[in-house]
Every structure is written in structure tokens, then in C-alpha cells.
Amino acid sequence: MTHHKTLQYFLIGVALLILPLVLQTFGNAWVRIADMALLYILLAIGLNIVVGYAGLLDLGFVAFFAVGAYMYGLLSSPHLINTFATMAGMFPEGMHMPIWLILPAAVGLAGLFGILLGAPTLKLRGDYLAIVTLGFGEIIRIFLNNLDHPVNITNGPKGLSQIDPITIFGVNLGQKLTIGDFEIASVTLYYYLFLSLVLVAIVVSHRLALSRIGRAWMAIREDEIAAKAMGLNTRNLKLLAFGMGATFGGVSGAMFAGFQGFISPESFSLMESVMIVAMVVLGGLGYLPGVILGAVLLSALPEVLRYVAGPLQEMTGGRLDAAILRQLLVALAMIVIMLMRPRGLWPAPEHGQSLVTK
């Protein structure tokens, strides 16, 4: 059984490594879809800690995504140099901070914002918690949108441009890598970086679920009053869940800014938060394989449906907008799946079933 699992993991690993090289032959657009799917997996794993493990409904998770993205954008673009003369004097050659400095800063700031969100919501549950977190996400977006006067920090709705691509060990991921006669596209290099981060996130999340902290989160999720009666410090555990989940959002946001080269507040709308929650719920709350499956499906499905919506639009003589039609198809697919699989596509095994399986 152990050898079978080892072989299975080995084959999955080989498939993941060669996937972008195969997709590259069909065009870089397909590799880009895979890159974005990996970023959404990171976000879904982070939200799963809050929603799946601790049972705290968070509809403002995209705020941490935005915090990480703007941290990377401000520290690796010419915006601060062009805006503040003092900064220009301190960094005459431009502010090009390495990823090793930006990433911990993005993680720390996103974790801090997660705790700040969690602190006033400790006594809230259910719909009330959802409304407060939704408002928090919108406040962050509006804040970024209006922080261009009287002091221009975020450049407002114009966004941040000319963001440096990510450089790892001297390799600029924004440029293709040539090895002999073989060329690896920039999007493929980003794929391998994002895949490495996703694997680390999976290991961390899995170990958290098996730890005492993870079991305490699940006890709070099942019955908070009983958990408190058993001596668990529910206040600190909830804050830890918000902070830990937010750090994954900060990492994903920083990677997104380096990958895109441009960010604006419109990239962090309410719909993004809703989509991330839908990924976790659709795949299976609290179960990592299901969360990953949900993230892959909901991030790739709208792009794949572009090839379906186009012909359908032509069949109706152009009377239907392709973008609206694509959203309709995604919504119909989700409704069908949730009716047929109410616990998610790949839910956590029932307690009795898992014991029988073992």
C-alpha cells in the first residue's frame, strides 16, 4: 500500500512538472491559466484555514490578497520614488527590493490585518460575521482606491505599473530562459515558482490540521460553547486562524503583483472574495484535496468556457454578450454540482467511513 501511494505521488509530481511544457506547445495563454489556478489554490488553502478548519465565514479574504499585492507593488515599482523626493534621495537607482525582503513584509502585514479583522469579530457568528468581513474587504478596496490624495501612496484607481518581475537566485522570471536550444517561457518559470509555494502551503496546512491547534479549531467549528467549556482559549485560537489564513493571502498577492506587473483596486473586488469562498465550499469544506479541486475548477472553468461562449454567441446572432453568457454557464454548472454533491465535490470522509477504510 505504501509503495502504491509512493508511485502515485511520483506520477502526479512528474505530471505537474511536465504540464506547463505540454501547455506551452498550445500557447502561453494556457500556461497563464495554470499560473492563475495555482495562485487561487494558495488563496483557497488560506481561506480553508479560516472557514474550513475554524468555521469562521470570511467574505473579505480578498483584502489580504490586496495587501500582499500592494506591498510588493510599492517596494518594487518607481511609484514611491516618483512621488516622494526623500525616497528618491535614499534610493537613487530606484527601489528594487528583492523578493526575500518583500515576501516576509507582505506575509507580516497581511497577518497583522488578519488579526485586526478578527479582533472586533470575536463575539460574532454566522451571518453577522459574514457581513462584517464583507465590509472589511470593501473598506480595504475603497481605501486603496482613494489613497492618492492628499498624499499619493497607492496612486488611486490608476493603480501601480512598471512593477519589477520576480527574480529568484539571479533568474529573472519575467524573461524567457534559454537552455541550449530549448526555451522556457516566462509564464512557465512562474508556474514552477507558484507550484513550489503551493506544495509548501499544502504541507503547512496539512500539518496544522493534524496539530493540537488544528484539532482545537475544528472543536470550535463544531461547537464553540463546548470547546470553551473544555478549557480552550477560543479568543486566541480565532485570532490565530484569521492571522494564519491571511498570511497565505499575502503570499499569493505578492506573487500576483510580480506576475502581472500591474495592479489596481479593481483587481480585488467583492466578486473575487465570493469566488474564493465558492472554491472552498464547492470542493469540500476543511478537506485539502477538495479545496484544491474546487480552486482548479473555478479558476480554469471560466477561461475554458470562453471557447464555448463564443460559438453560442454566434448562434444567437451576437444578441448575447459572451462575458455574461460565460458567467451564466459557470453559475449553472455550480448549481448542478451543489444539487448533486451538497457536501462538495470531494468532501472529507465521514468519521465512521475513515475508520473502516483504515
Side-chain angles (χ1 to χ4, degrees):
M1 189 69 179
T2 307
H3 294 297
H4 177 71
K5 278 193 172 182
T6 304
L7 179 62
Q8 187 178 12
Y9 290 146
F10 175 76
L11 292 176
I12 292 173
V14 171
L16 289 173
L17 288 174
I18 65 173
L19 176 63
L21 302 177
V22 174
L23 293 177
Q24 196 175 304
T25 60
F26 297 98
N28 289 340
W30 289 100
V31 187
R32 189 177 180 84
I33 292 172
D35 292 343
M36 292 305 300
L38 289 172
L39 289 180
Y40 276 112
I41 289 173
L42 262 180
L43 289 169
I45 290 173
L47 184 61
N48 185 56
I49 291 176
V50 184
V51 179
Y53 292 167
L56 305 169
L57 184 55
D58 186 355
L59 292 181
F61 194 75
V62 76
F64 312 123
F65 187 46
V67 167
Y70 268 86
M71 174 61 75
Y72 186 95
L74 289 172
L75 295 180
S76 61
S77 73
H79 173 68
L80 292 178
I81 302 294
N82 296 336
T83 305
F84 302 102
T86 307
M87 299 292 288
M90 292 172 61
F91 301 95
E93 296 181 1
M95 184 179 286
H96 306 287
M97 294 290 181
I99 187 65
W100 311 113
L101 288 178
I102 298 176
L103 201 55
V107 168
L109 188 62
L112 177 62
F113 269 80
I115 294 171
L116 291 176
L117 166 63
T121 62
L122 292 175
K123 295 184 186 255
L124 299 177
R125 298 179 192 171
D127 299 340
Y128 300 103
L129 177 62
I131 291 169
V132 171
T133 54
L134 185 151
F136 178 81
E138 282 298 284
I139 286 169
I140 293 296
R141 184 186 64 81
I142 294 169
F143 190 73
L144 295 172
N145 206 35
N146 290 279
L147 205 60
D148 56 344
H149 58 81
V151 180
N152 188 3
I153 297 176
T154 63
N155 209 28
K158 296 177 183 176
L160 299 177
S161 59
Q162 299 178 4
I163 298 174
D164 294 340
I166 298 173
T167 301
I168 299 287
F169 301 120
V171 178
N172 186 349
L173 303 187
Q175 300 175 354
K176 63 183 179 182
L177 181 65
T178 304
I179 304 174
D181 295 332
F182 187 71
E183 289 186 353
I184 303 177
S186 169
V187 286
T188 304
L189 295 175
Y190 275 111
Y191 171 90
Y192 290 123
L193 172 62
F194 297 164
L195 179 62
S196 303
L197 291 172
V198 166
L199 293 177
V200 171
I202 290 171
V203 171
V204 171
S205 182
H206 179 65
R207 297 305 301 170
L208 275 173
L210 298 178
S211 68
R212 293 179 62 186
I213 294 173
R215 294 197 298 273
W217 282 337
M218 292 172 196
I220 293 172
R221 178 190 67 195
E222 297 302 326
D223 192 331
E224 185 178 344
I225 296 174
K228 188 180 289 187
M230 293 301 294
L232 291 179
N233 190 332
T234 56
R235 172 183 173 276
N236 290 350
L237 285 167
K238 283 183 177 181
L239 289 177
L240 185 61
F242 275 114
M244 284 295 299
T247 57
F248 289 87
V251 172
S252 184
M255 295 299 106
F256 174 76
F259 178 57
Q260 290 284 95
F262 171 79
I263 53 173
S264 72
E266 296 307 312
S267 302
F268 313 105
S269 63
L270 173 63
M271 276 307 299
E272 291 295 316
S273 273
V274 173
M275 283 294 288
I276 301 166
V277 173
M279 290 170 184
V280 176
V281 175
L282 181 70
L285 273 172
Y287 193 51
L288 268 179
V291 169
I292 294 169
L293 177 63
V296 170
L297 284 180
L298 278 189
S299 58
L301 189 61
E303 301 301 326
V304 174
L305 285 178
R306 289 180 188 274
Y307 298 94
V308 178
L312 286 177
Q313 186 187 26
E314 292 178 3
M315 288 170 58
T316 59
R319 287 188 293 273
L320 285 175
D321 182 72
I324 296 175
L325 185 59
R326 197 168 77 252
Q327 290 179 0
L328 176 64
L329 292 173
V330 171
L332 287 174
M334 288 182 63
I335 291 170
V336 170
I337 290 171
M338 295 309 289
L339 286 174
M340 297 178 66
R341 305 280 294 182
R343 293 184 60 234
L345 286 173
W346 196 346
E350 297 286 349
H351 182 63
Q353 291 178 357
S354 64
L355 289 177
V356 171
T357 305
K358 290 179 181 178

